[in-house]
C-alpha cells in the first residue's frame, strides 16, 4: 500500500455511511481515491468530500478493483454478499455489520482495547455492536484494574442504530403528534404511522432490539457477552442485558452493574477512568453533571458517570455510560480501525 | 364509620389527584361526601364527580373536620405539614408522598402483597414509590414461589411521575422542536425551555430521579430496596437500581434481573405470574408481544414479559415490567388501600 489509500464505503448514503465519510474527512485520513457505493436507488447522486463532489456508484461485485480499504455499513446481508468480492479484489474490509463478528478468523476490534488484534486479519476486520463498544469503553479500564466477572446492563438506545429510516420514523411520529394538537394522554398514533419498528417509538420504550433467540434474549442483548468476551480476550465474562429502544435520536446510554474479582472503590475507579482514552469522566451529581445522550451526540468520546459502589454486589460498581451510536458505536470506530491499517 | 364515607383529596388538581378522583368514581367507592383540597391558586375551581360539580377548597389545617378518609398527593412537604391535622381530626390518611413511608408506625402497602398491614395503621398508611410498586407487582409472586435474594433493575420512567408541570414540559419541548422544523440532529432546545428537570427531557434520557445521596445512588433508586423490604417483609433483600427519566408521558417500564434462593424455570415463573392479581402476562416475542408503556397507559393492571433465565445469575430470571405510573404507581394503589379500610 502507498501512503495515500483508495478507500471505498459500501452503504455510503446510510446513517453510518454518512458519518464514515465525515470521520475520514475530519480525521484527515490519507484518502487518495474515494469510491462511494450504495444501492441502485442512490447511484448517480453526489456528495461532497473535502469540497469535491463524489458521485455515488451502485454497489456491485466488481466495485472493488484497486480498493485498499473498504468500509462496509449496509447491513449483514450486503456484507455477506459483497465482502468476499472486496477481499478477493485485494481490499482490507472493516465491516460494521454483525455478519463476521464472531468468526474466529476475523478480528473484532475497539482500537482503545485490542488494536493489536488488527494485525491478525485475513482481509476482514469486524466493527463491534454499538451498545457493546460504548459499554466497553468504560468497562475495559475497570476490567484492567479490577477484573470484571459479570455485568448486568440495560440500554437506552437511539433510533439511529436502526438506520436512516428509523430516524425518519421518530421524526415523523413526533411531528404527527405535535401537528394534531393532541394532548399528553392521547399519544397513540394511527397504525399507518408505524413502519420501521413493530410498535410506535415516539413516547414509548421498546424492549426489543434485533431478533429474539430461543433463550428469550435478543441477539442484540447477547452481543455484550459474546463480543465483550472476544474484544477483551475474556472468555468467562457473563453479561445479562436488556436492550431497549427509546425516543432518542443518536446516542445510546447504558446502565451497568459490574462485579469484579478485586475489591473496588469509587476513588480507585475514578483513577483508571480519568486517564482512559476516548472516555470522559462526567460525574458530579451535586452539580447535576452526569453523561447525557444529548451531550455526547456528535462527540467522539464516550462519557461515564453516576459511579457508585453497587449495593447488591460485594465487589461491584454501578455506573452510567453514554456514547454517540453513529460515531464510537459505528463510523468512528471503523475509521479508527482503518487508521490501524495505515 | 358509616357505609358512605366522607373522602378528602389533598392535591386534587395534581396529576395524581385527578386520577384519584377518577378511580373513586370508576371503582364506585362509597363516597358520601367529597372534599377536594388544593393550593389557594386552585381554590374556587370546580371539577366533576359523578356528574356533579365539586368546588375545590384551599388546603388548610382545619380542612379535615368530619373527614373519614383523606388521600394525600401534594408532595412530601404538604404531607408533613397537614397530615397531622387530618389525623387529629379523626381521618385515616393514605399518603402518596415519601414522607411517612419508612416510619415504623406507618404501614406501607400494595394491597395485592400486604393488605393485612393496613390493619396496623395508627391514622396513616403510606402508598409506595411508583417504580417500586410496579416492579413488586411482578416480583412478589416470584418471591413467594422462589424466594428473591437480590435484584438489579433499571427504570424507564415517565414524566407524569414528576407531576403536571413535568408533563407540560415534555409536551412543550416536543412541540417547540416540531414547530421550529428542526432536524433530527438538531434537537437541543434553548435553555429557557428547560424548567422542571435539570436538563432537556425531550429526546434524552436523564439518569437522575429524586435527589442524590452520599452513596451516589439517588433516593428514588434506594426506594426499591428500602420499600421492597418493608412491603414484602423481606429485611435482607438487596436491590441495585438505576432510575432514569425518559420521554414517555405516563407509564413506567423496568428491566429486572432477579436472583432467587430456589431453582427457577421460565415455565414455573409463568405459572405463578399467570394467576397473579393485578398483573397481565404479556410474553410472546414471536408475535412481538411484550409489555409496552403505551399499552399499559390508562390500565389498572401492570404487565410483565420478556421472561428469560438470567444468563449472569445461577438461579435468576430477567424480565420487563410496565405499569401506569399514575394508576398502580399512585392513585389506584391509594384507592385500593382506602378500599381495605371500608
Amino acid at each position: 500500500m502507498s501512503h495515500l489509500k483508495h478507500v471505498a464505503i459500501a452503504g455510503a448514503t446510510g446513517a453510518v455511511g454518512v458519518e464514515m465519510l465525515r470521520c475520514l474527512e475530519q480525521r484527515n485520513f490519507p484518502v487518495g481515491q474515494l469510491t462511494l457505493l450504495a444501492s441502485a436507488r442512490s447511484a448517480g447522486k453526489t456528495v461532497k468530500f473535502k469540497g469535491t463532489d463524489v458521485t455515488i456508484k451502485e454497489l456491485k461485485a466488481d466495485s472493488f478493483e484497486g480498493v485498499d480499504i473498504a468500509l462496509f455499513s449496509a447491513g449483514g446481508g450486503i456484507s455477506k454478499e459483497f465482502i468476499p468480492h472486496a477481499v478477493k479484489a485485494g481490499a482490507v474490509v472493516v465491516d460494521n455489520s454483525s455478519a463476521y463478528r464472531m468468526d474466529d478468523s476475523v478480528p473484532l476490534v475497539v482500537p482503545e482495547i485490542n488494536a493489536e488484534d488488527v494485525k491478525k486479519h485475513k482481509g476482514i476486520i469486524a466493527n463491534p455492536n454499538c451498545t457493546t463498544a460504548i459499554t466497553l469503553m468504560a468497562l475495559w479500564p475497570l476490567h484492567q484494574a479490577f477484573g470484571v466477572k459479570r455485568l448486568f446492563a440495560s440500554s437506552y438506545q437511539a433510533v439511529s442504530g436502526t438506520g436512516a429510516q428509523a430516524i425518519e420514523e421518530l421524526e415523523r411520529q413526533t411531528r404527527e403528534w405535535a401537528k394534531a394538537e393532541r394532548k399528553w394522554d392521547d399519544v397513540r398514533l394511527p397504525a399507518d404511522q408505524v413502519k420501521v419498528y413493530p410498535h410506535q417509538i415516539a413516547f414509548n420504550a421498546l424492549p426489543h432490539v434485533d431478533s429474539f433467540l430461543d433463550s428469550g434474549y435478543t441477539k442484540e442483548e447477547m452481543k455484550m457477552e459474546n463480543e465483550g468476551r472476544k474484544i477483551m480476550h475474556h472468555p468467562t465474562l457473563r453479561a445479562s442485558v436488556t436492550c431497549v429502544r427509546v425516543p432518542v435520536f443518536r446516542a445510546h446510554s447504558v446502565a451497568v452493574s459490574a462485579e469484579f474479582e478485586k475489591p473496588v472503590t469509587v476513588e480507585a475507579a475514578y483513577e483508571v477512568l480519568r486517564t482512559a482514552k476516548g472516555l470522559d469522566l462526567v460525574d458530579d451529581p451535586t452539580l447535576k453533571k452526569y453523561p447525557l445522550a444529548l451531550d455526547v451526540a456528535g462527540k467522539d468520546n464516550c462519557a461515564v458517570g453516576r459511579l457508585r459502589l453497587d449495593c447488591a454486589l460485594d465487589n461491584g460498581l454501578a455506573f452510567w455510560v453514554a456514547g454517540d451510536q453513529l460515531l464510537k458505536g459505528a463510523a468512528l470506530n471503523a475509521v479508527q480501525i482503518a487508521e490501524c491499517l495505515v
Side-chain angles (χ1 to χ4, degrees), chain A:
Chain A
M1 291 190 189
S2 74
H3 173 62
L4 291 179
K5 303 299 170 195
H6 180 175
V7 178
I9 299 178
T13 57
V16 174
V18 168
E19 295 296 332
M20 284 172 161
L21 200 63
R22 258 189 233 169
C23 287
L24 290 173
E25 187 170 300
Q26 286 174 0
R27 297 172 71 86
N28 215 14
F29 192 87
V31 178
Q33 192 177 337
L34 185 65
T35 297
L36 300 183
L37 303 165
S39 65
R41 215 182 44 229
S42 297
K45 290 181 189 170
T46 60
V47 294
K48 291 254 182 235
F49 180 71
K50 295 193 173 181
T52 308
D53 281 335
V54 183
T55 303
I56 291 167
K57 295 178 188 162
E58 185 182 351
L59 172 61
K60 290 180 177 172
D62 63 1
S63 297
F64 299 92
E65 194 109 342
V67 168
D68 297 309
I69 296 171
L71 307 177
F72 268 72
S73 190
I78 298 290
S79 286
K80 279 284 184 197
E81 185 177 349
F82 291 97
I83 286 177
H85 294 292
V87 173
K88 207 170 168 191
V92 179
V93 174
V94 182
D95 182 26
N96 190 46
S97 84
S98 63
Y100 294 95
R101 285 183 196 146
M102 298 313 297
D103 187 322
D104 282 341
S105 68
V106 174
L108 177 66
V109 175
V110 174
E112 289 86 351
I113 300 175
N114 62 331
E116 74 285 358
D117 286 351
V118 167
K119 294 176 195 152
K120 298 176 202 158
H121 81 80
K122 291 167 183 165
I124 310 173
I125 301 149
N127 207 36
N129 165 258
C130 46
T131 304
T132 302
I134 290 164
T135 305
L136 294 188
M137 288 300 289
L139 190 65
W140 169 249
L142 297 171
H143 171 56
Q144 285 181 293
F146 312 113
V148 65
K149 288 163 68 178
R150 58 178 165 178
L151 62 133
F152 303 88
S154 302
S155 71
Y156 301 70
Q157 294 184 225
V159 295
S160 63
T162 316
Q165 288 180 308
I167 292 170
E168 192 276 329
E169 177 135 314
L170 176 57
E171 268 199 271
R172 180 174 32 77
Q173 289 181 351
T174 307
R175 290 192 197 282
E176 184 69 21
W177 172 81
K179 189 184 74 184
E181 300 277 331
R182 288 151 170 271
K183 291 199 175 166
W184 68 276
D185 54 357
D186 177 26
V187 293
R188 190 183 289 278
L189 297 168
D192 64 5
Q193 288 291 330
V194 177
K195 294 171 185 175
V196 175
Y197 293 112
H199 305 279
Q200 179 180 328
I201 180 65
F203 310 113
N204 209 359
L206 308 184
H208 178 179
V209 180
D210 207 338
S211 49
F212 283 95
L213 300 165
D214 287 343
S215 64
Y217 281 93
T218 60
K219 284 186 183 174
E220 184 85 353
E221 288 163 353
M222 295 314 299
K223 288 169 190 169
M224 186 84 80
E225 181 171 288
N226 295 331
E227 299 185 19
R229 287 176 174 185
K230 183 166 174 175
I231 295 164
M232 299 200 295
H233 298 190
H234 183 346
T236 61
L237 178 72
R238 295 175 78 181
S240 177
V241 182
T242 303
C243 286
V244 182
R245 193 74 66 186
V246 293
V248 167
F249 281 111
R250 71 174 284 166
H252 290 357
S253 309
V254 191
V256 181
S257 280
E259 186 180 41
F260 298 94
E261 299 282 354
K262 297 182 195 165
V264 287
T265 64
V266 170
E267 291 64 32
Y270 278 161
E271 195 89 5
V272 298
L273 292 172
R274 226 176 250 128
T275 55
K277 281 183 194 158
L279 185 72
D280 293 329
L281 177 63
V282 181
D283 198 7
D284 195 343
T286 56
L287 296 176
K288 294 167 182 174
K289 287 189 177 172
Y290 27 74
L292 290 173
L294 272 188
D295 288 344
V296 297
K299 303 264 169 65
D300 284 354
N301 278 12
C302 295
V304 64
R306 292 285 337 262
L307 242 81
R308 54 215 195 269
L309 281 185
D310 193 282
C311 66
L313 289 167
D314 292 332
N315 291 329
L317 284 172
F319 58 90
W320 175 256
V321 56
D324 188 304
Q325 182 278 319
L326 291 171
L327 294 177
K328 191 58 195 176
L332 171 65
N333 198 73
V335 171
Q336 285 178 304
I337 291 172
E339 288 170 348
C340 296
L341 290 166
V342 298

